[in-house]
Amino acid sequence: MEPGNITQISKFLLLGFSERPELQPLIFGLFLSMYLITVFGNLLIILAVSSDSHLHTPMYFFLANLSFVEICFTSTTVPKMLWNIQTQTKVITYEDCITQMNFFITFAGMDDFLLSVMAYDRFVAICHPLQYMVIMNPQLCGLLVLVSWITSVLYSLVHTLMVLGLSFCTEVEIPHFFCELNQMIQLASSDTFLNNVVMYLAAMLLGGGLLVWILYSYSKIVSSIREISSAQGKYKAFSTCVSHLSVVSLFYCTSLGVYLSSAATQRSRSSATASVMYTVVTPMLNPFIYSLRNRDIKRALKRILGIQ
């Protein structure tokens, strides 16, 4: 790259999923529907937890926080994509792109942390039931959420500052529907060796470490459940974990699938399509997973909606 072709960039072009005009109304309607379902579904979970005194427990406190993060996570990417389709533009300014990337990494990190905290909550509830309310006191619950926020913000800030140090060509097309960290690094015209090292190392330490903790928690949970003598007791204990385990599996399987496929192929549009699974579909399905398998949540939602 010639030095003369590298300047301070002012905008990027988000290429989205397809450049075919006839598909744009379909994509707009599909994503608008999924976004509205995500927002209203997670808002109902938050409202149910906050309005029902029976749900003022650590497990539902973390669930309400997860629902809030899911709304923010989806709102970081989808509204901008919908706006670009509606206005028939692909432009996103450099400042907006960096801001979007920063918030996306923050909320993705919070997702990861909250799922790990919820695994710890289930571990204490099943392995130490008599000490549950003593261990999972309001102060510890608040501290766990606060530490999760601080760590996620710092994690995002590190990546953001490193991307700010990169140079880009005057015309940069991002083959994605949002400013994703990996795409930004790949499209930079300056040396990105350190960025790649930090990105993959942080992903292994943070994502991998939290996943190991979740797996460890569930190994202890399974051991404790096996020691329960009655079949009804085993079912009751395991049923409290099914929803969380489903969300963890969905989140990690889709995330790992996207990044493994993007590492194996150069088809960036395919990566963008696969990213929809964990950026849009997973946050949309979470309220259904928790409400359909949880009688307390269903009872609270029926009361809010006026259903007998």
Side-chain angles (χ1 to χ4, degrees), residues 166-223:
L166 297 176
S167 299
F168 296 90
C169 298
T170 52
E171 289 291 334
V172 176
E173 295 182 341
I174 302 176
H176 219 297
F177 66 97
F178 67 96
C179 296
E180 196 247 352
L181 175 64
N182 190 39
Q183 292 288 335
M184 298 285 288
I185 294 175
Q186 288 181 8
L187 293 169
S189 54
S190 53
D191 182 38
T192 59
F193 174 76
L194 185 59
N195 294 77
N196 281 304
V197 169
V198 171
M199 180 177 66
Y200 288 111
L201 185 62
M204 285 190 294
L205 291 176
L206 184 65
L210 294 176
L211 179 59
V212 168
W213 167 251
I214 292 173
L215 294 175
Y216 171 78
S217 298
Y218 272 101
S219 70
K220 292 294 185 181
I221 288 171
V222 170
S223 298

Side-chain angles (χ1 to χ4, degrees), residues 111-290:
D111 247 343
D112 214 348
F113 275 110
L114 283 174
L115 290 175
S116 303
V117 168
M118 293 171 79
Y120 175 69
D121 172 73
R122 292 299 84 208
F123 163 74
V124 176
I126 293 174
C127 299
H128 306 282
L130 299 179
Q131 299 173 298
Y132 177 66
M133 294 309 297
V134 176
I135 297 174
M136 300 302 295
N137 57 73
Q139 290 77 20
L140 179 62
C141 293
L143 181 62
L144 288 172
V145 172
L146 179 62
V147 170
S148 298
W149 274 111
I150 293 173
T151 309
S152 298
V153 169
L154 292 176
Y155 172 71
S156 177
L157 187 61
V158 169
H159 287 300
T160 303
L161 292 175
M162 294 194 70
V163 170
L164 285 172
L166 297 176
S167 299
F168 296 90
C169 298
T170 52
E171 289 291 334
V172 176
E173 295 182 341
I174 302 176
H176 219 297
F177 66 97
F178 67 96
C179 296
E180 196 247 352
L181 175 64
N182 190 39
Q183 292 288 335
M184 298 285 288
I185 294 175
Q186 288 181 8
L187 293 169
S189 54
S190 53
D191 182 38
T192 59
F193 174 76
L194 185 59
N195 294 77
N196 281 304
V197 169
V198 171
M199 180 177 66
Y200 288 111
L201 185 62
M204 285 190 294
L205 291 176
L206 184 65
L210 294 176
L211 179 59
V212 168
W213 167 251
I214 292 173
L215 294 175
Y216 171 78
S217 298
Y218 272 101
S219 70
K220 292 294 185 181
I221 288 171
V222 170
S223 298
S224 296
I225 291 177
R226 290 178 62 185
E227 294 175 1
I228 300 174
S229 56
S230 67
Q232 185 178 3
K234 289 182 179 180
Y235 173 78
K236 185 177 180 181
F238 186 71
S239 64
T240 63
C241 303
V242 171
S243 297
H244 176 257
L245 198 55
S246 301
V247 172
V248 168
S249 302
L250 191 61
F251 178 79
Y252 274 100
C253 288
T254 53
S255 301
L256 288 173
V258 167
Y259 283 99
L260 288 175
S261 64
S262 64
T265 179
Q266 298 299 316
R267 295 175 63 190
S268 299
R269 282 282 175 84
S270 300
S271 175
T273 305
S275 297
V276 175
M277 285 302 298
Y278 78 95
T279 57
V280 183
V281 176
T282 300
M284 180 184 70
L285 292 179
N286 284 358
F288 295 100
I289 293 172
Y290 277 102

